[in-house]
């Protein structure tokens, strides 16, 4: 099962690469939604003010999402910036489960996105293919210096 999980996260990383350069200065995040071991929707970060990866993928699916597993390369945003919070969208759409490759060091997020989803009773797993996600997105993420 681990191999299958890694396969889906790798597909999400591939989606994220499609985001560049239009997504900047937002990080190039990718997302795939999986139902019954099949990818049923894909998304990546659009230009600022337009859909984040999660919103783009969720837009492709209607109805009950309780049997959907989301694979996202970066922690979903907890805050409403130019677009609605993706963490809150996962909660309101009642997604089944979420795999996240890495936390978002942006101080407005930094674990808050994970907490929002978990507090709603949705299982979240962080760290799947984290090293690969850091290679892809590290230079685009919030920096302390
Ligand atoms: Zn977002």
């Amino acid at each position: 099962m681990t191999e299958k999980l890694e396969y889906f996260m790798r597909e999400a990383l591939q989606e994220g690469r499609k985001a560049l350069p239009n997504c900047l200065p937002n990080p190039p995040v990718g997302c795939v939604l999986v139902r019954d071991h099949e990818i049923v929707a894909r998304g990546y970060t659009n230009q600022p003010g337009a859909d984040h990866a999660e919103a783009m993928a969720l837009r492709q699916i209607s109805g009950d999402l309780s049997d959907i597993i989301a694979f996202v390369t970066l922690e979903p945003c907890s805050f409403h910036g130019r677009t609605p919070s993706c963490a809150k969208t996962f909660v309101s759409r009642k997604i089944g489960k979420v795999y996240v490759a890495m936390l978002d060091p942006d101080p407005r997020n930094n674990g808050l996105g994970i907490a929002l989803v978990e507090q709603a009773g949705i299982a979240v797993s962080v760290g799947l293919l984290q090293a690969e996600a850091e290679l892809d997105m590290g230079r685009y993420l919030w920096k302390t210096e």
Side-chain angles (χ1 to χ4, degrees):
M1 185 58 189
T2 307
E3 282 167 32
K4 196 79 177 163
L5 294 176
E6 290 183 354
Y7 166 78
F8 290 131
M9 188 58 85
R10 214 160 262 131
E11 289 289 307
L13 286 164
Q14 286 286 3
E15 287 301 309
R17 291 177 196 133
K18 297 178 187 171
L20 289 168
N22 290 343
C23 64
L24 298 175
N26 290 327
V29 180
C31 173
V32 299
L33 302 179
V34 173
R35 175 180 270 150
D36 296 334
H37 309 288
E38 302 268 358
I39 294 175
V40 291
R42 298 169 179 266
Y44 51 85
T45 317
N46 287 261
Q47 72 273 21
D51 281 348
H52 287 178
E54 303 92 318
M56 179 179 169
L58 286 166
R59 196 180 290 286
Q60 298 160 38
I61 304 227
S62 56
D64 185 10
L65 301 187
S66 61
D67 60 345
I68 295 270
I69 305 175
F71 292 79
V72 197
T73 60
L74 186 70
E75 174 182 8
C77 58
S78 60
F79 54 92
H80 190 123
R82 282 171 289 224
T83 64
S85 154
C86 293
K88 288 181 183 166
T89 304
F90 275 149
V91 169
S92 66
R93 297 284 308 271
K94 297 186 170 66
I95 194 98
K97 179 166 185 173
V98 183
Y99 283 92
V100 172
M102 65 181 292
L103 291 178
D104 179 4
D106 186 318
R108 293 172 297 175
N109 214 15
N110 199 21
L112 291 173
I114 303 294
L116 267 174
V117 178
E118 280 183 336
Q119 281 159 15
I122 296 165
V124 185
S125 168
V126 181
L128 180 64
L129 297 188
Q130 176 161 339
E132 289 176 42
E134 282 172 353
L135 267 180
D136 272 17
M137 287 180 294
R139 79 194 78 159
Y140 305 107
L141 298 177
W142 194 87
K143 300 274 195 308
T144 42
E145 67 269 25

